[in-house]
Amino acid sequence: MVDFALDEEQKMMQEMAHDFARDEIRPLADKYYHQDEKIPEEELDELVKKANALRLMDHYFPAEIGGLGIEDKLTSCLIGEELAWGDAGIQVHLMASGLGAKAIHAMGTEEQARHWLPRFCNPDNKPVIPGIAAFCLTEPGSGSHVTGLGTFAKKDGSDWIINGTKQFITNGSRADVYAVVAQTDPDAKTTMEQAAGLAGFVVEKGTKGLHPGKDYKKWGVLASDTTEVVFENLRIPGENRLGTGESGGMMGVYETLEATRVLVGIGALGIARAAFETSLDYAKTRVQKQPIIKYQAVSHKLADMEMKIQAARALCWKAAWMATNDVPFTRGEGSQAKLYCSELAVETCLNAIQIHGGYGFMKEYNVGRWLNDAVVFKIWEGTSEIQRNTIVRYLNQLET
């Protein structure tokens, strides 16, 4: 029997995340957005400490390494939606370390996970800034084309030497640990050879040859840190190569991305819900002879928003349930969730602006800011086009 009811732990985490988003995240984002200013780093740090003390940042890490030990992926979806409802940029700032940590877990051995991941946990519930991770995959000449990386790792005795440039890296200038994907076979020509040569490496902050850039000036998700990261004759010990000679490469990259795409989708859903709720309130109180919600042109937009948001959430929850119960994605369920939610967020924000009329174009209201936030969700962690390719690749393997 299908059961959509949340258990008590899930409800508690959802309510805690919503209260934190309402009371801490949204006021901070609104304050500086309306002043055309970026949130000061010291104020973001204080927010991170509060979120960490509530265990909103490490709830999914195993208890044996210091995490809260909540293995249910749906709980991560519930938290992610609420935080993004508060502000997508701050949500990314709080949660982005999970991508780098997931890469270490997916590409590394159990021993490596036990070594590297405890620093991201807060077993004592202290208001401190946890370890920060960055996943270094995208490059200036290689975005969606993962196998065509130009960052190379060369074996030198027992060490590895890395050279290359990564671009659009979240947490690029603030990370303590970088999970780096590099090509180990300089002679690889075919896609198969390139895929076989990919490997993951861990680089620690302060390593000689590591050069993080400055935060890019972005249109949206302004609270998140996005930079270039350069590796120049960077030397790391052999044990920093993730996995073994037979594991940790391309399949680890796929596992990382497919697992986290659901959470990217849920972030976009949080934006869509914020835009919808604001539009619904506005339509009920904005009077043009009568509340504008009574005009069919407006009410139909709101009806479509509600319907599609419910459908998007169902896609995310199903994928989260599958991941929790080790049910394989056979139809690209992670990509479906990310694709649908990201495109819905943009559509919903555009309709929200339309419902607000001229006010929708003014910074007095947040719907324009949310549109800028939503657009990037169609791009990062695999563009909408890549998600469609992924879904079709799954479908092509189905037996009919």
Side-chain angles (χ1 to χ4, degrees):
M1 179 177 178
V2 176
D3 185 358
F4 291 99
L6 302 178
D7 63 32
E8 290 306 311
E9 183 178 63
Q10 291 168 334
K11 290 178 183 177
M12 180 192 70
M13 297 301 292
Q14 182 184 46
E15 290 171 4
M16 183 191 301
H18 179 75
D19 291 346
F20 185 77
R22 181 195 62 215
D23 300 336
E24 302 286 350
I25 293 178
R26 189 169 285 189
L28 183 62
D30 287 351
K31 174 184 175 182
Y32 287 98
Y33 170 74
H34 294 305
Q35 295 177 7
D36 288 321
E37 295 178 10
K38 191 169 181 178
I39 301 173
E41 187 173 332
E42 58 271 19
E43 292 194 46
L44 275 176
D45 285 347
E46 288 304 310
L47 193 72
V48 169
K49 291 176 183 178
K50 292 177 182 178
N52 196 31
L54 293 173
R55 309 304 295 274
L56 294 173
M57 301 177 69
D58 74 335
H59 62 277
Y60 52 88
F61 285 96
E64 57 266 25
I65 64 169
L68 204 53
I70 299 178
E71 298 179 358
D72 172 29
K73 303 299 189 296
L74 178 55
T75 299
S76 295
C77 286
L78 298 173
I79 293 172
E81 180 182 337
E82 297 302 331
L83 298 183
W85 172 88
D87 180 74
I90 291 176
Q91 186 248 15
V92 172
H93 186 80
L94 293 174
M95 308 302 289
S97 284
L99 179 58
K102 176 60 183 178
I104 293 173
H105 181 266
M107 303 177 76
T109 64
E110 289 187 13
E111 182 180 359
Q112 288 172 324
R114 287 194 297 270
H115 175 74
W116 295 107
L117 298 185
R119 67 184 67 192
F120 305 113
C121 301
N122 185 23
D124 298 323
N125 304 335
K126 293 181 178 179
V128 296
I129 296 177
I132 299 169
F135 182 43
C136 297
L137 179 63
T138 302
E139 297 184 359
S142 176
S144 299
H145 181 42
V146 175
T147 55
L149 296 183
T151 296
F152 286 90
K154 180 182 178 181
K155 196 75 182 292
D156 185 41
S158 61
D159 295 341
W160 288 91
I161 298 176
I162 301 177
N163 282 283
T165 299
K166 299 292 184 178
Q167 195 170 38
F168 307 141
I169 304 305
T170 304
N171 287 344
S173 70
R174 60 191 293 265
D176 301 302
V177 174
Y178 298 79
V180 184
V181 182
Q183 178 59 250
T184 63
D185 182 2
D187 299 319
K189 297 292 188 295
T190 68
T191 299
M192 185 175 296
E193 290 171 341
Q194 291 172 333
L198 292 183
F201 300 87
V202 173
V203 175
E204 295 216 53
K205 180 179 182 179
T207 302
K208 185 178 179 180
L210 172 65
H211 305 293
K214 294 182 179 180
D215 190 18
Y216 285 109
K217 293 182 178 180
K218 307 184 294 290
W219 289 111
V221 289
L222 300 181
S224 68
D225 173 77
T226 311
T227 76
E228 180 180 75
V229 179
V230 177
F231 306 96
E232 185 179 11
N233 292 323
L234 180 143
R235 181 181 291 271
I236 53 175
E239 57 264 29
N240 285 35
R241 185 214 188 275
L242 290 169
T244 66
E246 291 74 39
S247 66
M250 190 65 191
M251 291 309 298
V253 174
Y254 276 141
E255 182 182 341
T256 300
L257 295 177
E258 192 65 5
T260 55
R261 278 171 180 163
V262 179
L263 296 178
V264 175
I266 212 73
L269 178 61
I271 299 172
R273 192 181 114 216
F276 164 68
E277 290 178 359
T278 297
S279 299
L280 181 60
D281 289 342
Y282 183 84
K284 290 178 179 179
T285 56
R286 173 65 165 159
V287 175
Q288 293 180 350
K289 295 185 178 180
Q290 60 181 345
I292 63 173
I293 195 173
K294 295 187 176 181
Y295 292 105
Q296 193 176 76
V298 173
S299 63
H300 280 189
K301 280 186 172 64
L302 292 167
D304 285 345
M305 287 179 182
E306 166 68 11
M307 174 182 64
K308 293 179 180 180
I309 285 172
Q310 295 294 339
R313 187 176 291 114
L315 278 174
C316 290
W317 283 23
K318 178 184 177 182
W321 175 87
M322 293 176 72
T324 299
N325 291 279
D326 294 322
V327 178
F329 289 167
T330 59
R331 295 176 176 267
E333 284 84 355
S335 290
Q336 286 189 40
K338 195 269 186 186
L339 172 64
Y340 190 82
C341 290
S342 61
E343 300 209 335
L344 172 63
V346 173
E347 175 189 319
T348 302
C349 290
L350 285 171
N351 282 328
I353 291 171
Q354 199 71 16
I355 289 171
H356 281 73
Y359 286 113
F361 203 65
M362 305 299 163
K363 286 199 171 183
E364 179 183 351
Y365 291 83
N366 287 322
V367 286
R369 164 177 128 220
W370 291 331
L371 175 62
N372 281 344
D373 290 344
V375 169
V376 76
F377 283 79
K378 295 177 60 175
I379 298 170
W380 60 16
E381 293 233 23
T383 63
S384 290
E385 292 77 14
I386 288 298
Q387 304 310 322
R388 288 183 169 89
N389 288 348
T390 301
I391 294 167
V392 170
R393 186 169 65 247
Y394 276 101
L395 296 180
N396 193 45
Q397 296 171 356
L398 289 177
E399 293 183 6
T400 57

Coordinates of all heavy atoms in Angstrom, one line a residue, residues 116-181:
W116 N 37.9 11.0 5.7 CA 37.6 12.4 5.3 C 36.3 13.0 5.7 O 36.2 14.2 5.9 CB 37.7 12.4 3.7 CG 39.0 12.1 3.1 CD1 39.4 10.9 2.5 CD2 40.2 12.9 3.1 NE1 40.7 11.0 2.1 CE2 41.2 12.2 2.5 CE3 40.5 14.2 3.6 CZ2 42.5 12.7 2.3 CZ3 41.7 14.7 3.4 CH2 42.7 14.0 2.8
L117 N 35.3 12.2 6.0 CA 34.0 12.7 6.2 C 33.6 13.2 7.6 O 32.8 14.1 7.7 CB 32.9 11.7 5.7 CG 33.0 11.3 4.2 CD1 31.8 10.4 3.9 CD2 32.9 12.6 3.3
P118 N 34.3 12.7 8.6 CA 33.9 13.2 10.0 C 34.0 14.7 10.2 O 33.3 15.3 11.0 CB 34.8 12.4 10.9 CG 35.1 11.1 10.2 CD 35.2 11.6 8.7
R119 N 34.9 15.3 9.4 CA 35.1 16.8 9.6 C 33.8 17.6 9.2 O 33.7 18.8 9.6 CB 36.3 17.3 8.8 CG 36.1 17.2 7.3 CD 37.4 17.6 6.6 NE 38.5 16.6 6.9 CZ 39.8 16.8 6.6 NH1 40.1 18.0 6.0 NH2 40.7 15.9 6.8
F120 N 32.9 17.0 8.5 CA 31.7 17.7 8.1 C 30.6 17.5 9.1 O 29.5 18.0 8.8 CB 31.3 17.2 6.7 CG 32.3 17.3 5.6 CD1 32.9 16.1 5.1 CD2 32.8 18.5 5.2 CE1 33.9 16.2 4.1 CE2 33.8 18.6 4.3 CZ 34.3 17.5 3.7
C121 N 30.8 16.7 10.1 CA 29.8 16.4 11.1 C 29.9 17.2 12.4 O 31.0 17.7 12.7 CB 29.9 14.9 11.4 SG 29.6 13.9 9.9
N122 N 28.8 17.2 13.2 CA 28.8 18.0 14.4 C 28.1 17.2 15.5 O 27.0 17.6 15.9 CB 28.0 19.4 14.1 CG 28.0 20.3 15.3 OD1 28.9 20.2 16.2 ND2 27.0 21.2 15.3
P123 N 28.7 16.2 16.0 CA 28.0 15.3 16.9 C 27.7 16.0 18.3 O 26.8 15.5 19.0 CB 29.1 14.2 17.1 CG 30.4 14.8 16.8 CD 30.1 15.7 15.7
D124 N 28.3 17.1 18.6 CA 28.1 17.7 19.9 C 27.1 18.9 19.8 O 26.9 19.6 20.7 CB 29.4 18.2 20.4 CG 30.4 17.1 20.7 OD1 30.0 16.0 21.2 OD2 31.6 17.3 20.5
N125 N 26.5 19.0 18.6 CA 25.5 20.1 18.4 C 26.0 21.5 18.7 O 25.3 22.4 19.2 CB 24.2 19.9 19.3 CG 23.6 18.5 19.1 OD1 23.8 17.9 18.0 ND2 22.9 18.0 20.0
K126 N 27.2 21.7 18.4 CA 27.8 23.0 18.7 C 27.6 24.0 17.6 O 27.5 23.7 16.4 CB 29.4 22.9 18.9 CG 29.8 22.1 20.1 CD 31.3 22.0 20.2 CE 31.7 21.2 21.5 NZ 33.2 21.1 21.6
P127 N 27.4 25.3 17.9 CA 27.2 26.4 16.9 C 28.6 26.7 16.3 O 29.1 27.8 16.5 CB 26.6 27.5 17.7 CG 27.2 27.3 19.1 CD 27.3 25.8 19.3
V128 N 29.1 25.8 15.4 CA 30.4 26.0 14.8 C 30.3 25.8 13.3 O 29.3 25.2 12.8 CB 31.5 25.1 15.4 CG1 31.7 25.3 16.8 CG2 31.0 23.6 15.1
I129 N 31.2 26.4 12.6 CA 31.3 26.2 11.1 C 31.9 24.8 10.8 O 33.0 24.5 11.3 CB 32.0 27.3 10.4 CG1 31.3 28.6 10.6 CG2 32.2 27.0 8.9 CD1 32.1 29.8 10.0
P130 N 31.2 23.9 10.1 CA 31.8 22.6 9.9 C 32.8 22.6 8.8 O 33.0 23.7 8.2 CB 30.5 21.8 9.4 CG 29.7 22.8 8.8 CD 29.9 24.1 9.5
G131 N 33.4 21.5 8.5 CA 34.2 21.4 7.3 C 33.5 21.7 6.1 O 32.2 21.4 6.0
I132 N 34.1 22.3 5.1 CA 33.5 22.7 3.9 C 34.1 22.0 2.7 O 35.3 21.9 2.6 CB 33.6 24.2 3.7 CG1 32.9 24.9 4.9 CG2 32.9 24.7 2.4 CD1 33.2 26.4 4.9
A133 N 33.3 21.4 1.8 CA 33.8 20.7 0.7 C 33.4 21.3 -0.7 O 32.4 22.0 -0.7 CB 33.3 19.2 0.7
A134 N 34.2 21.1 -1.7 CA 33.9 21.5 -3.0 C 34.1 20.3 -4.0 O 35.0 19.6 -3.9 CB 34.7 22.7 -3.5
F135 N 33.2 20.2 -4.9 CA 33.3 19.1 -6.0 C 33.8 19.8 -7.2 O 33.1 20.6 -7.8 CB 31.9 18.5 -6.2 CG 32.0 17.3 -7.2 CD1 33.0 16.4 -7.2 CD2 31.0 17.2 -8.1 CE1 33.0 15.4 -8.1 CE2 31.0 16.2 -9.1 CZ 32.0 15.2 -9.1
C136 N 35.0 19.4 -7.7 CA 35.6 20.1 -8.8 C 35.5 19.2 -10.0 O 36.4 18.3 -10.3 CB 37.1 20.4 -8.5 SG 37.3 21.5 -7.1
L137 N 34.5 19.4 -10.9 CA 34.3 18.7 -12.1 C 34.3 19.6 -13.3 O 35.1 19.3 -14.2 CB 33.0 17.9 -12.0 CG 32.6 17.1 -13.2 CD1 33.6 15.9 -13.4 CD2 31.1 16.5 -13.0
T138 N 33.5 20.6 -13.4 CA 33.3 21.4 -14.5 C 34.6 22.2 -14.9 O 35.3 22.6 -14.0 CB 32.1 22.4 -14.3 OG1 30.9 21.7 -14.0 CG2 31.9 23.3 -15.5
E139 N 34.8 22.3 -16.2 CA 36.0 23.0 -16.7 C 35.6 24.0 -17.7 O 34.5 24.0 -18.3 CB 37.0 22.0 -17.2 CG 37.6 21.1 -16.2 CD 38.6 20.1 -16.8 OE1 39.0 20.2 -18.0 OE2 39.1 19.3 -16.0
P140 N 36.5 25.0 -18.0 CA 36.2 26.0 -19.1 C 35.9 25.4 -20.4 O 35.0 25.9 -21.1 CB 37.5 26.8 -19.1 CG 38.1 26.7 -17.8 CD 37.8 25.3 -17.3
G141 N 36.5 24.3 -20.7 CA 36.3 23.6 -22.0 C 35.5 22.3 -21.9 O 35.4 21.6 -22.9
S142 N 35.0 22.0 -20.7 CA 34.3 20.8 -20.5 C 33.2 20.9 -19.4 O 33.5 20.9 -18.3 CB 35.3 19.7 -20.1 OG 34.6 18.5 -19.9
G143 N 32.0 21.1 -19.9 CA 30.9 21.2 -18.9 C 30.1 20.0 -18.9 O 30.4 19.1 -18.1
S144 N 29.2 19.8 -19.8 CA 28.3 18.6 -19.9 C 29.1 17.4 -20.4 O 28.8 16.3 -20.1 CB 27.1 18.9 -20.8 OG 26.3 19.9 -20.2
H145 N 30.2 17.7 -21.2 CA 31.0 16.6 -21.7 C 32.1 16.2 -20.7 O 33.2 16.6 -20.7 CB 31.7 17.2 -23.0 CG 32.6 16.1 -23.7 ND1 32.2 14.8 -23.9 CD2 33.8 16.3 -24.2 CE1 33.2 14.2 -24.5 NE2 34.2 15.0 -24.7
V146 N 31.6 15.4 -19.8 CA 32.4 15.0 -18.6 C 33.7 14.3 -19.0 O 34.8 14.5 -18.4 CB 31.6 14.1 -17.6 CG1 32.5 13.6 -16.5 CG2 30.4 14.9 -17.1
T147 N 33.7 13.4 -20.0 CA 34.8 12.6 -20.3 C 36.0 13.5 -21.0 O 37.1 13.0 -21.1 CB 34.5 11.5 -21.3 OG1 33.8 12.0 -22.4 CG2 33.5 10.5 -20.6
G148 N 35.6 14.7 -21.4 CA 36.6 15.5 -22.1 C 37.4 16.4 -21.2 O 37.8 17.5 -21.6
L149 N 37.7 16.0 -20.0 CA 38.4 16.9 -19.1 C 39.8 17.2 -19.5 O 40.5 16.3 -20.0 CB 38.4 16.2 -17.7 CG 37.1 15.9 -17.0 CD1 37.3 15.4 -15.6 CD2 36.2 17.2 -16.9
G150 N 40.2 18.4 -19.2 CA 41.6 18.8 -19.5 C 42.5 18.9 -18.3 O 43.6 19.4 -18.3
T151 N 41.9 18.6 -17.1 CA 42.7 18.5 -15.9 C 43.3 17.1 -15.8 O 42.6 16.1 -15.8 CB 41.9 18.8 -14.6 OG1 41.3 20.1 -14.7 CG2 42.7 18.6 -13.3
F152 N 44.7 17.1 -15.7 CA 45.4 15.8 -15.7 C 46.1 15.5 -14.4 O 46.6 16.4 -13.7 CB 46.4 15.8 -16.9 CG 45.8 15.6 -18.2 CD1 45.4 16.8 -18.9 CD2 45.6 14.4 -18.8 CE1 44.8 16.6 -20.2 CE2 45.0 14.2 -20.0 CZ 44.6 15.4 -20.7
A153 N 46.1 14.3 -14.0 CA 46.8 13.8 -12.8 C 47.9 12.8 -13.3 O 47.5 11.8 -14.0 CB 45.9 13.1 -11.8
K154 N 49.1 13.1 -12.9 CA 50.2 12.2 -13.4 C 50.9 11.6 -12.2 O 51.2 12.2 -11.2 CB 51.2 13.1 -14.1 CG 52.4 12.3 -14.6 CD 53.4 13.3 -15.3 CE 54.7 12.5 -15.8 NZ 55.6 13.5 -16.5
K155 N 51.1 10.3 -12.3 CA 51.8 9.6 -11.2 C 53.3 9.9 -11.2 O 53.9 9.9 -12.2 CB 51.6 8.1 -11.4 CG 51.9 7.2 -10.1 CD 50.7 7.3 -9.1 CE 51.0 6.5 -7.9 NZ 51.1 5.1 -8.1
D156 N 53.8 10.2 -10.0 CA 55.2 10.6 -9.8 C 55.7 9.9 -8.5 O 55.5 10.4 -7.4 CB 55.4 12.1 -9.7 CG 56.9 12.4 -9.6 OD1 57.7 11.8 -10.4 OD2 57.2 13.3 -8.8
G157 N 56.2 8.7 -8.7 CA 56.6 7.8 -7.6 C 55.3 7.4 -6.9 O 54.4 6.8 -7.5
S158 N 55.2 7.6 -5.6 CA 54.0 7.3 -4.9 C 53.0 8.5 -4.8 O 51.9 8.3 -4.3 CB 54.3 6.9 -3.4 OG 55.0 7.9 -2.8
D159 N 53.4 9.6 -5.4 CA 52.5 10.8 -5.4 C 51.8 11.0 -6.7 O 52.1 10.3 -7.7 CB 53.4 12.1 -5.1 CG 54.0 12.1 -3.8 OD1 53.6 11.4 -2.9 OD2 55.0 12.9 -3.6
W160 N 50.9 11.9 -6.7 CA 50.2 12.4 -7.9 C 50.4 13.9 -8.1 O 50.4 14.6 -7.1 CB 48.7 12.1 -7.8 CG 48.3 10.7 -7.9 CD1 48.2 9.8 -6.9 CD2 48.0 9.9 -9.1 NE1 47.8 8.5 -7.4 CE2 47.7 8.6 -8.8 CE3 48.0 10.3 -10.5 CZ2 47.4 7.6 -9.7 CZ3 47.7 9.3 -11.4 CH2 47.4 8.0 -11.0
I161 N 50.6 14.3 -9.3 CA 50.8 15.7 -9.6 C 49.6 16.1 -10.5 O 49.3 15.5 -11.6 CB 52.1 16.0 -10.3 CG1 53.2 15.6 -9.4 CG2 52.2 17.5 -10.7 CD1 54.6 15.8 -10.0
I162 N 48.9 17.2 -10.1 CA 47.6 17.6 -10.8 C 47.9 19.0 -11.4 O 48.4 19.9 -10.8 CB 46.4 17.6 -9.9 CG1 46.2 16.2 -9.3 CG2 45.2 18.1 -10.6 CD1 45.1 16.2 -8.3
N163 N 47.5 19.1 -12.7 CA 47.5 20.4 -13.4 C 46.2 20.5 -14.1 O 45.7 19.6 -14.8 CB 48.6 20.4 -14.4 CG 50.0 20.7 -13.8 OD1 50.3 21.8 -13.4 ND2 50.8 19.6 -13.6
G164 N 45.6 21.7 -14.0 CA 44.4 22.0 -14.8 C 43.6 23.1 -14.1 O 44.0 23.7 -13.1
T165 N 42.4 23.4 -14.7 CA 41.6 24.5 -14.2 C 40.1 24.0 -14.2 O 39.6 23.4 -15.1 CB 41.6 25.7 -15.2 OG1 43.0 26.2 -15.2 CG2 40.7 26.8 -14.7
K166 N 39.5 24.3 -13.0 CA 38.1 24.0 -12.9 C 37.3 25.3 -12.8 O 37.8 26.3 -12.3 CB 37.9 23.1 -11.6 CG 38.6 21.8 -11.6 CD 38.0 20.8 -12.6 CE 38.6 19.5 -12.5 NZ 38.0 18.5 -13.5
Q167 N 36.1 25.3 -13.3 CA 35.3 26.5 -13.4 C 33.9 26.3 -12.8 O 33.4 25.2 -12.8 CB 35.2 26.9 -14.8 CG 34.7 28.4 -15.0 CD 34.8 28.8 -16.5 OE1 34.6 28.0 -17.4 NE2 35.2 30.0 -16.8
F168 N 33.3 27.4 -12.3 CA 32.0 27.4 -11.7 C 31.9 26.5 -10.5 O 30.9 25.7 -10.4 CB 30.9 27.1 -12.7 CG 31.0 27.9 -14.0 CD1 30.8 27.4 -15.2 CD2 31.3 29.3 -13.9 CE1 30.8 28.2 -16.4 CE2 31.3 30.1 -15.0 CZ 31.1 29.5 -16.3
I169 N 32.9 26.5 -9.7 CA 33.0 25.6 -8.5 C 32.3 26.2 -7.3 O 32.8 27.2 -6.8 CB 34.4 25.1 -8.2 CG1 35.1 24.6 -9.5 CG2 34.4 24.2 -7.1 CD1 34.4 23.4 -10.1
T170 N 31.2 25.6 -6.8 CA 30.6 26.0 -5.6 C 31.5 25.7 -4.4 O 32.0 24.6 -4.3 CB 29.2 25.3 -5.4 OG1 28.4 25.6 -6.6 CG2 28.5 25.9 -4.2
N171 N 31.6 26.7 -3.5 CA 32.6 26.7 -2.4 C 34.0 26.7 -2.8 O 34.9 26.4 -2.0 CB 32.3 25.4 -1.5 CG 31.1 25.4 -0.7 OD1 30.5 26.5 -0.6 ND2 30.6 24.3 -0.3
G172 N 34.3 27.2 -4.1 CA 35.6 27.2 -4.6 C 36.6 27.9 -3.8 O 37.8 27.5 -3.6
S173 N 36.3 29.0 -3.2 CA 37.2 29.8 -2.4 C 37.2 29.6 -0.9 O 38.0 30.1 -0.2 CB 37.0 31.3 -2.7 OG 35.8 31.8 -2.1
R174 N 36.2 28.8 -0.5 CA 36.0 28.6 1.0 C 36.2 27.2 1.4 O 36.1 26.9 2.6 CB 34.7 29.2 1.4 CG 33.5 28.5 0.8 CD 32.2 29.2 1.0 NE 31.8 29.2 2.4 CZ 30.9 28.3 2.9 NH1 30.4 27.4 2.1 NH2 30.6 28.4 4.2
A175 N 36.4 26.2 0.5 CA 36.5 24.8 0.9 C 37.7 24.5 1.7 O 38.8 25.0 1.5 CB 36.4 24.0 -0.4
D176 N 37.5 23.5 2.6 CA 38.6 22.9 3.3 C 39.2 21.7 2.6 O 40.3 21.3 2.7 CB 38.2 22.5 4.7 CG 37.7 23.6 5.5 OD1 38.4 24.6 5.7 OD2 36.5 23.6 6.0
V177 N 38.2 21.0 1.8 CA 38.6 19.8 1.1 C 38.0 19.9 -0.3 O 36.8 20.3 -0.5 CB 38.0 18.6 1.8 CG1 38.2 17.3 0.9 CG2 38.6 18.4 3.2
Y178 N 38.8 19.6 -1.3 CA 38.3 19.6 -2.7 C 38.3 18.2 -3.2 O 39.3 17.5 -3.2 CB 39.2 20.5 -3.6 CG 39.3 21.9 -3.2 CD1 40.1 22.4 -2.1 CD2 38.6 22.9 -3.9 CE1 40.1 23.7 -1.8 CE2 38.6 24.2 -3.6 CZ 39.4 24.6 -2.5 OH 39.5 25.9 -2.1
A179 N 37.2 17.7 -3.7 CA 37.1 16.4 -4.4 C 37.2 16.7 -5.9 O 36.4 17.3 -6.5 CB 35.8 15.8 -4.1
V180 N 38.4 16.3 -6.5 CA 38.7 16.7 -7.8 C 38.7 15.5 -8.8 O 39.2 14.5 -8.5 CB 40.2 17.3 -7.8 CG1 40.5 17.8 -9.2 CG2 40.3 18.4 -6.8
V181 N 38.0 15.7 -9.9 CA 38.0 14.7 -10.9 C 39.0 15.0 -12.0 O 39.0 16.2 -12.5 CB 36.6 14.5 -11.6 CG1 36.6 13.4 -12.6 CG2 35.6 14.2 -10.5

